[in-house]
Amino acid sequence: GLRARASVGTGYKEPSLRENFAATPFEVGNPGLEPEESRSWEVGLEQALLAGRLTLAANYFDQRFRNLIQYNGGAAPGSPNYSNVARATARGVELTGDFRPVRHVVIAASYTRLMTRVDDPGFSSGAGEAFVDGKPLIRRPKHSARLDARARLLDRIGAGLGVTYLGRRADVDFRPFPSVRTALPGVVTIDADAELDLLRPAAGRPWLTATLRAENLTDRRYETVVGFRGRGRAVYAGARVGI
């Protein structure tokens, strides 16, 4: 019941049209920008226990980002403001578990410990910048976790409950001048969903399932970015139909 896995990958993000071709008194694009690039690898182990009813897994990952595009407010008039200068690293451990105590019930949990670091701040030089040499990347929580429980009831009703935790994360408050480095507090949000089979699949007729989903069920107030409130309680109702 023991599995080992490993992967290696690369990725890129093209410059935006603004970064390439902006032409204003305060912003000049750079058509010669290279894509932002990343290289990553991960290794992990997965163990099945209790006749397959419990699965535990652990992964270690490492990501390197280079050619990050940065705005230079001190560029000479008429010169491009954007250049590929910054570099960063992200690495960490992810732990997951999947438990099926009885038929039609699944409990899943995950935890991530993330460590990020700015390796080259590029044009940034102040303590209140987004890129500070040796400091963590902004808006990436060091600790995050998720717990989900799903059940099938009376063979027609499905229900789920999810709890998400985002830990404290660094950010920059750009409202004062100069900007100041700050932190966003941790937050816990709760999601829930349910579905009801109104018409079950049968030969010659369609099937119909009604769905209901709620995000941030307790309407928890939090900020995803300094000064910008995260989405409050949201409820969605719908249906799925098929033949």
Side-chain angles (χ1 to χ4, degrees):
L2 179 64
R3 294 181 177 181
R5 57 172 174 257
S7 66
V8 178
T10 62
Y12 70 93
K13 177 179 177 292
E14 290 283 2
S16 68
L17 290 174
R18 182 177 178 179
E19 292 166 340
N20 275 139
F21 305 113
T24 71
F26 303 101
E27 187 179 32
V28 177
N30 182 357
L33 286 174
E34 297 289 335
E36 296 182 336
E37 297 181 2
S38 69
R39 295 180 181 178
S40 62
W41 60 270
E42 69 173 58
V43 293
L45 293 174
E46 180 182 292
Q47 176 67 59
L49 302 167
L50 303 178
R53 291 189 294 119
L54 174 64
T55 303
L56 301 175
N59 297 298
Y60 175 83
F61 58 88
D62 186 290
Q63 299 173 308
R64 308 295 173 96
F65 306 94
R66 67 188 185 94
N67 285 343
L68 297 181
I69 298 170
Q70 222 175 10
Y71 175 83
N72 178 17
S79 299
N81 293 106
Y82 293 100
S83 299
N84 298 101
V85 288
R87 291 184 293 109
T89 300
R91 57 172 62 96
V93 176
E94 182 182 40
L95 306 176
T96 62
D98 190 311
F99 182 44
R100 301 173 183 267
V102 295
R103 187 184 179 190
H104 299 317
V105 175
V106 180
I107 300 173
S110 64
Y111 165 77
T112 301
R113 172 71 159 85
L114 177 64
M115 295 160 284
T116 64
R117 185 185 70 239
V118 174
D119 298 318
D120 185 346
F123 299 124
S124 300
S125 57
E129 301 278 355
F131 286 85
V132 178
D133 192 24
K135 294 291 187 179
L137 294 170
I138 63 173
R139 301 168 194 156
R140 272 82 163 180
K142 183 179 291 186
H143 303 280
S144 60
R146 172 82 180 183
L147 177 64
D148 285 286
R150 301 200 61 80
R152 190 74 181 174
L153 310 172
L154 304 177
D155 203 32
R156 281 182 176 267
I157 302 173
L161 185 69
V163 180
T164 301
Y165 169 72
L166 289 178
R168 182 181 175 90
R169 50 220 184 272
D171 204 351
V172 175
D173 189 347
F174 293 100
R175 291 172 293 186
F177 183 81
S179 56
V180 294
R181 201 164 177 97
T182 183
L184 295 169
V187 61
V188 175
T189 57
I190 300 175
D191 306 323
D193 66 86
E195 60 182 30
L196 172 64
D197 294 335
L198 299 176
L199 290 176
R200 307 187 70 176
R205 75 174 189 187
W207 55 265
L208 177 64
T209 299
T211 63
L212 184 66
R213 184 175 88 253
E215 298 178 356
N216 193 6
L217 188 62
T218 60
D219 200 25
R220 182 70 182 271
R221 295 182 66 92
Y222 65 97
E223 291 184 342
T224 54
V225 179
V226 171
F228 293 87
R229 183 186 174 188
R231 187 163 59 181
R233 182 190 298 114
V235 179
Y236 305 89
R240 296 195 301 270
V241 63
I243 299 177

